[in-house]
């Protein structure tokens, strides 16, 4: 896989994405797309159990690495002030990551690195943090509730969906993937993967810690997002090329296909949706593909348009700031002979892009409250992950690495 040096480098080769291009008419389909669906699928796709995006470990086996901390709901390292569990011991700006390679979440000082970790449950994937300081972490066992000030697990809410199988590791394990909170914090929404079938969106009452309802979704709901008014929830179905729009009041659903390259290759295709961002200005949904296409979906009508992107790399995590700046994680090439390496795309509301190279693959991204720094998790769902975070100065493009938990995926700034 292509590697790039991070320190002090900014890629200014392509800083203007150019005009929106909804058809790409006249541009021949690049050979690497067909290769990604044939030869690349045979070699990489078989090893990834035909997802095109992951290398899953043996069923039921934890990835290699140091043992997870002992004792549920307890801190495992001294906190920055007063030790783990001290009231108010977690300063604002601390990073929280879900350690997919262990049973923990890790608290990371953005200067010093890891300061504490808390056991939450098997194979944590996504997380969301409310205004009250509680974090909601999607694990294979249930949704863990963590008090981020005291740094302790408060509860685990078991899933109501049937057919999840035993709690285990790997991207295909049953259980929670994407997760989000209602704007008022009254409900948590978690996308639940059902191995071999369509998924579900479960609704948790954050006061009673009970599952109050569920709705069907597409296959493997990688990401969950909520409209700014809280009226709709969006579950991104990785293996079904779609977004499920769920009405928050009735849990009625609508499916919107999102497949700018088509659905050729099915489960073996690399060209699937991964993460979605909700544009603040108009509520449209932004889905990046391959560093080439940004699909903009109107959730009211289901119609979409396609705008040009410039990073030319397989893409996963996405986040959007309050001013509409979109950040997209480039994980690296599908075809190293034709594609660019890992990167972070910073796309302004007018469509102009800055592509910042990263050393090695990453998965998800969060932005500091002042909007000046992006933190990109190194866990990655495919082979090649690493146990850390890259901090990216969004003005200069300079980067530095922080240690973090084991295979961090979901990330948030407290």
């Amino acid at each position: 896989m292509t590697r790039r040096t991070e320190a002090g480098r900014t890629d200014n080769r392509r800083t203007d994405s150019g005009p929106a291009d909804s058809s790409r008419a006249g541009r021949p389909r690049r050979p690497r797309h067909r290769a990604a669906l044939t030869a690349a699928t045979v070699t990489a796709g078989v090893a990834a159990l035909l997802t095109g995006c992951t290398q899953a470990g043996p069923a039921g086996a934890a990835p290699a690495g140091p043992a997870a901390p002992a004792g549920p709901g307890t801190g495992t390292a001294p906190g920055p002030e007063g030790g783990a569990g001290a009231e108010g011991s977690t300063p604002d700006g601390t990073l929280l990551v879900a350690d997919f390679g262990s049973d923990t979440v890790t608290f990371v000082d953005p200067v010093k690195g890891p300061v504490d970790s808390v056991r939450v449950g098997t194979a944590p994937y996504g997380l969301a943090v409310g205004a009250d300081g509680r974090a909601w972490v999607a694990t294979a066992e249930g949704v863990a509730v963590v008090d981020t000030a005291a740094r302790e697990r408060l509860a685990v809410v078991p899933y109501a969906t049937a057919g999840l199988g035993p709690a285990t590791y790997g991207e295909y394990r049953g259980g929670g993937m994407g997760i989000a909170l209602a704007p008022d914090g009254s409900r948590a929404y978690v996308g639940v993967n059902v191995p071999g079938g369509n998924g579900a969106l479960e609704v948790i009452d954050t006061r009673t810690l009970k599952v109050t309802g569920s709705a069907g979704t597409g296959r493997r709901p990688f990401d969950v997002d909520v409209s700014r008014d809280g009226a709709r929830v969006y579950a991104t179905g990785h293996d079904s090329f779609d977004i499920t729009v769920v009405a928050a009041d009735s849990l009625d659903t609508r499916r919107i296909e999102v497949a700018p390259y088509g659905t050729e290759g099915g489960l073996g295709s690399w060209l699937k949706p991964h993460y979605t961002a909700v544009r603040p200005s108009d509520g449209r949904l932004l889905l990046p593909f391959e560093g080439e296409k940004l699909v903009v979906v109107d959730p009211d009508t289901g119609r979409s348009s396609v705008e040009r992107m410039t990073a030319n790399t397989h893409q996963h995590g996405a986040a959007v700031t309050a001013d509409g700046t979109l950040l997209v994680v480039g994980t690296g090439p599908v075809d190293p002979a034709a594609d660019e390496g890992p990167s972070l795309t910073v796309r302004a509301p007018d469509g102009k892009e800055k592509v910042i190279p990263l050393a090695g693959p990453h998965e998800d991204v969060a932005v500091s409250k002042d909007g000046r720094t992006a933190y990109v998790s190194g866990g990655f769902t495919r082979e090649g992950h690493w146990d850390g975070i890259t901090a990216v100065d969004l003005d200069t493009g300079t980067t530095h690495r922080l240690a973090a938990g084991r295979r961090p995926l979901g990330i948030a700034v407290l």
Side-chain angles (χ1 to χ4, degrees), residues 184-207:
D184 64 3
S186 64
R187 293 173 300 281
Y189 301 100
V190 58
V192 179
N193 178 45
V194 179
N198 288 339
L201 181 81
E202 293 196 5
V203 184
I204 298 172
D205 185 308
T206 58
R207 181 182 62 84

Side-chain angles (χ1 to χ4, degrees), residues 17-338:
S17 68
D21 180 0
S22 61
S23 66
R24 307 294 290 272
R27 177 179 173 179
R29 193 178 190 188
R30 295 169 51 179
R32 63 104 169 190
H33 295 144
R34 185 163 300 281
L37 295 171
T38 54
T41 300
V42 171
T43 55
V46 169
L49 299 183
L50 294 179
T51 68
C53 283
T54 176
Q55 173 113 2
T74 59
T76 60
E81 297 178 18
E87 184 66 29
S89 63
T90 303
D92 287 349
T94 299
L95 311 176
L96 185 67
V97 295
D99 302 327
F100 192 61
S102 65
D103 299 340
T104 60
V105 292
T106 294
F107 294 80
V108 181
D109 183 295
V111 175
K112 301 176 182 178
V115 295
D116 204 355
S117 60
V118 174
R119 182 183 290 273
V120 291
T122 305
Y125 190 98
L127 58 81
V129 180
D132 61 0
R134 289 187 296 171
W136 301 79
V137 187
T139 80
E141 301 173 36
V143 174
V145 187
V146 176
D147 182 329
T148 63
R151 299 204 294 273
E152 63 179 358
R153 190 183 75 184
L154 303 177
V156 174
V157 182
Y159 301 115
T161 301
L164 304 186
T168 186
Y169 296 85
E171 189 184 341
Y172 297 95
R173 66 31 165 190
M177 298 189 76
I179 190 167
L181 290 166
D184 64 3
S186 64
R187 293 173 300 281
Y189 301 100
V190 58
V192 179
N193 178 45
V194 179
N198 288 339
L201 181 81
E202 293 196 5
V203 184
I204 298 172
D205 185 308
T206 58
R207 181 182 62 84
T208 64
L209 303 185
K210 302 289 186 184
V211 175
T212 59
S214 65
T217 70
R219 298 171 70 101
R220 286 213 299 153
F222 249 57
D223 195 20
V224 173
D225 299 271
V226 182
S227 64
R228 291 172 64 84
D229 62 5
R232 288 178 293 201
V233 185
Y234 310 113
T236 305
H238 177 273
D239 286 358
S240 48
F241 300 89
D242 61 17
I243 290 176
T244 302
V245 181
V246 183
D249 53 0
S250 65
L251 299 185
D252 291 340
T253 64
R254 291 184 292 114
R255 177 183 182 269
I256 300 175
E257 182 173 284
V258 186
Y261 295 97
T263 60
E264 179 184 358
L267 294 180
S269 172
W270 290 81
L271 309 175
K272 302 173 184 175
H274 293 83
Y275 293 79
T276 299
V278 181
R279 190 158 64 187
S281 61
D282 58 9
R284 281 178 164 77
L285 311 181
L286 308 177
L287 292 94
F289 285 79
E290 303 304 302
E292 293 183 337
K293 299 182 180 187
L294 179 69
V295 180
V296 182
V297 179
D298 183 337
D300 291 326
T301 65
R303 296 175 181 170
S304 63
S305 60
V306 180
E307 300 176 7
R308 178 174 174 252
M309 297 190 75
T310 62
N312 186 26
T313 185
H314 194 60
Q315 290 179 316
H316 275 208
V320 65
T321 64
D323 70 355
T325 299
L326 178 67
L327 293 96
V328 185
V329 180
T331 67
V334 172
D335 179 359

